[in-house]
Every structure is written in C-alpha cells, then in structure tokens.
Amino acid sequence: MIATWMLSALLFTALLGVSAFCAESVLRAVGRQTRWPWLVALGGSVVWPALAPIVRRLIPETGAMRSVATTMPSIQVVPDQLPAVSWTHWVDVALLTMWAITSAIVLTRLGYSLVVLSRIRRASQPQVVDGVSVFVSASVGPAVVGIVQPSVLFPAALLELDAPLRRLVLRHEQEHCRARDPWIVVGSAFALALVPWNAPLWWIVRRARLALEVDCDARVLATEPNKTQYGKLLMLISQRQQTTVLAPMLAASSSHLERRIAAMLPIRSNRRGVRVVVALVATVVAGIAACTSRIGDGIVGPKPVIADRAANVNPDQPYFEFQVTKQVQQVPGTGNLRYPDLLRSANVQGVVLGQFIVDEQGVFEPGTFKELKSDHALFTQAVLTALPNMRFSPAELRGVRVKQLVQQPFTFSLSRNEAISPRPASAALVTVVGTVAHRAAVGGPPSPDKPHLESQVTKAASQIPGTGNIRYPDLLRHANVEGEVLATFVVDTSGAYLPGSLMVLKSSHELFTEAVKNALPNMRFTPAEVQGKRVRQVMQQPFTFSLSK
C-alpha cells in the first residue's frame, strides 16, 4: 500500500533530520563544516525509500517475491477467485494522483525560477569590482547564479560601500562558488519536486541552506577576524536585498540571520564536552531508530512468506507455485487432447490458457477449471474433456503432499495434423501463452464441402426470421425456469442445418437442449459465401428461453 510506504518514508526522513541536527551540533562544537549531516540526510531521505524495495528484491531471500510478481497478475483475471477491490486501492490511486499533480506544480515553479535567474543574469552588466569579475544588477543580490559557470551577482546599491566591506561581500560569494553550493541548492530543489509531500524533507532542505551559509561565514571569518563588522554587514544587506530562489547569497533569509550570528560566537569551554557527548549519543540513537525494522518494513514492504518456513501445512488448502517446495508435474502420456473435428477441417489453430487445481493425489479437481484465455469454445471443450484423464505428480510442501493452483497453456497445432499434448506444468509455463495462428488456409477456390468459420467467409450465414421456432418446454414454463443453450452447428450450402453437426457448449437444462435439437432441422438460413460461391459455415449461436413476454 502506497500510504504505508509514504508514512514510513516520512518517519524515516524525520529521524534522519533529528540525527543530522544533533550531528551538526557536534561538528559546530569541534569547529568543522556543518553541511555534511544535512546533505547526507537529504540524499538518504530521497534515495533510500526509492531504492529499498528494489534492493530487497535483489537479495536471495526474495526469490519467492519474484515468483509472485510473475504469477499473480495472470491469476487476477479470474473474477471469482479474488475479493473485490478494497478501499485501500482507491486510497493509493488518490495519493498517487495528488503526488503527480503536486510534483508537476513544484517542477513548474522550479523551471520558472531558473528562467527568472537566467533573465536577471542577462540583464546585468559585467563589471570588475575590487579585482573580481561580477555582474552588476539593479537590485538583486549579492548572490551566486549559474551552475556550470557560477557568477557573482552584485547589486548596484552595494557599490557605495567602503572597499573593505565590498571585499567581504565578494569573498563570501566567491566561497559559495568554490564550494559548488549552487549545485547543492538546485539539487535540493529537484529533490523537493520529486517528493513534495515529504514535509520533513522541506525542513532538512531549509536547514541545509542555512548550513551552507554558516560554513561560508566561517571560511570568511577565518581570514577576516572582525566578527562585529561582518555581523553588521549581514544585517545591512538583509534589510536591503531582494531574495532570489535557487541562488546562494550573503543573507538569503532574514529568519536565519540570528542563527548565523549566533554561530559566530564561541562556545563556552566548560559546556563543550557535555554538548558534544549528548549530541553524539542523540545522533547515534536517531540514526539507529531510522533503520529499525518497523520503519524499514514499511518502506521495502513486508518480507515474503517463504513456503518452507511456514508454521503449518494445510493439505486441503490450494497453494500457489511459489509457495511449494516441489511443483506439480504432468505425467507424460496422460490426458492427450482430441482436436475438434470442425476446427481441424477449417484449418484453425489456437491456444487455451486454463487455471485449475491438482489435488494431493495428482488428479485434476473437478469444478476448479477457469478459462483465462481461449481462441475458440471448442478448444476449451476439448481441454475440459481431457483434464479428468490427466495425471500429475502432486505438489509438496515440506515433504507433505498439497493441492496446487496451476496455470497451463494447451496448444492446438496442425503442424502434424494433431493436437499437441499439454506440456508439464512448471514455473516457466505459468505466464506463457503461445502465439496463436488463427487464420484460414487460403489459396485456390473455396471448397463448398469444407465448413468455414464466420471470420473466413465474405458473407456470413444468417437465420431467416420465422423459421424453426423453438417450443418452450411445458414443464420448465410451468416451473418459471428460464435459461440458455449455447451451441455450435454447421449450415450447409443450401441454407439448412447439417444433421449430426450440433455440439452443445453450454446448456441451462437438458429440456432446453432437446428443444433446440428438435427445432434446428426446421430452421432455414441464408447460406454463407466465399468469393461469391456458397460454402458451409460453422455457426456458434445462443438460444435464449425467457418468460418475460
């Protein structure tokens, strides 16, 4: 369920953020760069939830899950084998839809910001200020714009500053360029566009931007020890500057100004050791919590149930292929299929993909056959006739014989003028359906004695209204019983039913079948034609018995 994955990813990101926050305190206490914990948290929050399910499926333990992925979709086409779509499905659909819409909005805003930055840079005038090449803008900056070739954007108003203050501004922006901070800023913006619903990630990105500025301040103050002057410069620029998205700048956010100035102050020596230890312990605890199995299972999904580790084996329960330790195998030479004569005469080939249960004795369990795909009803009837005579080596689970749900293709081919026996059921055949050649043999004049299918004729046979009316069985009429007979028969070149060609595919009652048999000889049809010549045609027709009128 997507909702479970998203909630686990939110909690995972939040714990990574807590760990990064504590790690930042440790690094600041020892005088190190503070950006790295936030960058690790940012990358882990985006990459790990996306890759974890894939990694989980690559380890050997998940071999069963790969069988599920190939087996379950073909089973799902059987309506009465699975429950109706649950409400969780619609929740997932709604969440994915909102995710896509929100990502599109954020990506659009990101693209617009990049266009605005490009326009600002083109509108600015290149100039050399205190020996540094910059672009002088009307009001935006100071900031760094560009990714491949970052440039300093310097506002015209700051040109009036004293030379020492201008050098501090330029030094700060040059440090951003040297540290490749524009790459980090744009990358974090794209990360937010990928998972805009991840609220803790927005906080991590904001803290990472602050860490970039704090680190840059520290590098500048390493050569410019006048912290008071630098702090006043930050306050001056924060009051004047016009902020720009996706551009590292000297005072990108006035809300960060207090934290940046506080970061310049030294930590009291009597508190440094305690602060480092507490923050280090908190970092480790939060990191371990983020990697716990409860959160991890929500991200990668629950572990698949391995059949040989099942606590109990129920021989009466049908198992899927991936759940058994020994799969069903057909005994060669049993249950050969008989090719339907009508389809053999019409040169029709095809495949039936069926699903059925093989019991603990290796025998087809009556009533369990489900037709997943069939190229003709007569092929399906041939499979149903042959299945009771087939024998299988039964499936086993931990040494115990069990029932197994099997999916198997039955191929009918005229390459040797006979039906091919179904191949032994195996994992490789579960999802394989052979390509069907469903075309009439063409070439030469049409034969009037060979029955054709409807798809092979240019003019199909049709019943002449008012002929061969079917009489409703009196016993079923009085009992208010309705039903239907689905039958296949041949109409000859004179438009009459060909005696002996009737095959009943489905019937609601034997009396309905008898009524159809009695009516067919009196029915008249317009005969089928191929290339202007009358030919025989195989017709498949339903006969409905209704009391509504």
Side-chain angles (χ1 to χ4, degrees), residues 96-118:
L96 289 174
T97 302
M98 289 188 292
W99 184 351
I101 294 173
T102 310
S103 290
I105 294 173
V106 177
L107 280 172
T108 302
R109 179 177 177 272
L110 178 58
Y112 176 75
S113 300
L114 291 173
V115 171
V116 169
L117 281 179
S118 178

Side-chain angles (χ1 to χ4, degrees), residues 107-122 145-147 182 185-187 189-190 244-247:
L107 280 172
T108 302
R109 179 177 177 272
L110 178 58
Y112 176 75
S113 300
L114 291 173
V115 171
V116 169
L117 281 179
S118 178
R119 289 176 180 174
I120 292 174
R121 182 173 178 175
R122 289 197 301 270
V145 294
I147 300 176
V185 173
V186 175
F190 273 104
T244 303
V245 181
L246 302 180

Side-chain angles (χ1 to χ4, degrees), residues 327-339:
Q327 300 172 8
V328 162
Q329 295 290 331
Q330 185 189 352
V331 178
T334 63
N336 292 332
L337 297 178
R338 184 178 182 276
Y339 212 115

